[in-house]
Amino acid sequence: MENRDQKSIEFRDVAFRLADGRPLVSHLSLEIYRGETLVLLGRSGCGKTTTLKLINRLLDPTEGEVRVEGKPTTDWEPIHLRRRIGYVIQEIGLFPHFTVAENVGLVPRLEGWEEGRIHSRTHELLEMVGLDPRKFAGRYPQELSGGQRQRVGVARALAADPPILLLDEPFGALDPITRREIQQEFRGLQRKLRKTAVFVTHDVQEAFLLASRIGLLKDGRLVLLGAAGELLSSEEPEARAFAACLQELREPPRQS
């Protein structure tokens, strides 16, 4: 359950433009509350990933202000900010020459944790994401399935216990059955840990499964922000298009 009294992330009339002046995000204003999962939903190229990168200072706003834990991102030292934010991407980005345990323990090691604490945390997280540390801690990424690598990616993002998680279409490359399993596992994990999570997807089913609220983007602008039911009842054309997709997915196939 999110805490509406505590804002974790704020966008204050934010824009991001390329060097040629083309806007990727325009007039973006929203508040993300501590402990909620905000899903940024939209078509490819609508500004979802740009919005995510503005939170951890992979990009800085051209106009307006992004605030994390009450402080403008431009006032944060970038490395310190990113170590307070777990980041999970579709490509996962595990280091191939590191074992699973070394990948998961990377940020705690950079933070100067002592080895016994890193070992305990790594084993705790592997168990939490459904990987037996006795079997998987010493393996290398190439020895894992796609679903197992994605679980390691989630464990690594959680390793230093960051208050914020950013997830950029993290399950998009998985087969449908594995994807559904990991979605359910992530939902259970989030109910337990109550991190502030910002989750990017173009999959409306995934958005409805995981979101506390949905932020619908179109052409770099936020056209709807609210609970899943608000998307279904909205007259906004983009919301109606996604609602129609969901309805089609739910309808049984017609007999020929």
Side-chain angles (χ1 to χ4, degrees):
M1 181 69 69
E2 70 270 16
N3 188 337
R4 292 297 180 101
D5 295 324
Q6 294 181 307
K7 302 169 190 173
S8 184
I9 302 163
E10 295 177 78
F11 284 76
R12 297 182 174 182
D13 198 24
V14 169
F16 179 79
R17 300 177 183 275
L18 298 176
D20 63 6
R22 182 164 64 93
L24 299 185
V25 172
S26 301
H27 300 293
L28 181 59
S29 294
L30 74 150
E31 299 170 346
I32 303 169
Y33 303 108
R34 189 167 298 176
E36 80 165 319
T37 299
L38 177 74
V39 172
L40 296 176
L41 176 66
R43 308 183 197 208
S44 298
C46 71
K48 304 185 301 294
T49 295
T50 299
T51 301
L52 214 63
K53 290 180 176 179
L54 288 164
I55 296 171
N56 65 356
R57 280 205 79 184
L58 290 176
L59 298 172
D60 285 333
T62 310
E63 301 169 19
E65 184 178 76
V66 182
R67 299 176 73 88
V68 173
E69 297 180 344
K71 181 172 156 182
T73 53
T74 49
D75 289 352
W76 282 88
E77 195 282 318
I79 300 300
H80 181 61
L81 174 64
R82 289 170 197 153
R83 288 184 184 172
R84 291 189 58 74
I85 298 174
Y87 196 31
V88 187
I89 58 176
Q90 185 177 129
E91 295 82 9
I92 309 165
L94 301 180
F95 292 100
H97 302 300
F98 283 14
T99 65
V100 165
E102 288 168 339
N103 269 285
V104 174
L106 178 62
V107 174
R109 190 164 283 111
L110 292 172
E111 292 283 280
W113 290 24
E114 58 94 19
E115 286 300 318
R117 185 182 176 199
I118 294 172
H119 176 84
S120 296
R121 179 64 172 164
T122 298
H123 281 231
E124 174 193 6
L125 285 167
L126 289 176
E127 289 178 349
M128 195 180 293
V129 298
L131 297 175
D132 184 344
R134 295 169 296 179
K135 294 181 179 179
F136 291 97
R139 293 188 187 179
Y140 290 87
Q142 64 268 26
E143 299 176 286
L144 307 177
S145 69
Q148 289 165 347
R149 286 195 296 271
Q150 198 62 67
R151 287 177 171 91
V152 175
V154 172
R156 185 178 63 178
L158 292 167
D161 199 22
I164 296 169
L165 289 179
L166 305 181
L167 305 102
D168 193 356
E169 301 203 37
F171 313 140
L174 301 175
D175 66 83
I177 294 173
T178 304
R179 181 172 186 170
R180 186 68 172 178
E181 288 172 353
I182 295 187
Q183 287 169 346
Q184 295 285 1
E185 290 170 8
F186 175 78
R187 186 167 71 166
L189 201 61
Q190 174 63 342
R191 284 174 175 170
K192 177 181 178 181
L193 299 178
R194 297 185 179 181
K195 301 290 185 183
T196 302
V198 186
F199 193 110
V200 160
T201 187
H202 60 263
D203 183 332
V204 66
Q205 281 188 306
E206 186 166 68
F208 270 63
L209 178 67
L210 300 179
S212 306
R213 290 186 299 155
I214 293 173
L216 181 62
L217 290 165
K218 179 175 171 58
D219 298 330
R221 293 177 180 267
L222 187 69
V223 297
L224 181 142
L225 179 64
E230 294 178 52
L231 185 145
L232 293 178
S233 62
S234 174
E235 293 301 315
E236 152 62 41
E238 192 71 355
R240 294 183 69 176
F242 273 94
C245 289
L246 186 66
Q247 183 63 32
E248 289 174 7
L249 289 167
R250 288 177 172 176
E251 288 177 351
R254 294 180 180 178
Q255 298 294 324
S256 57

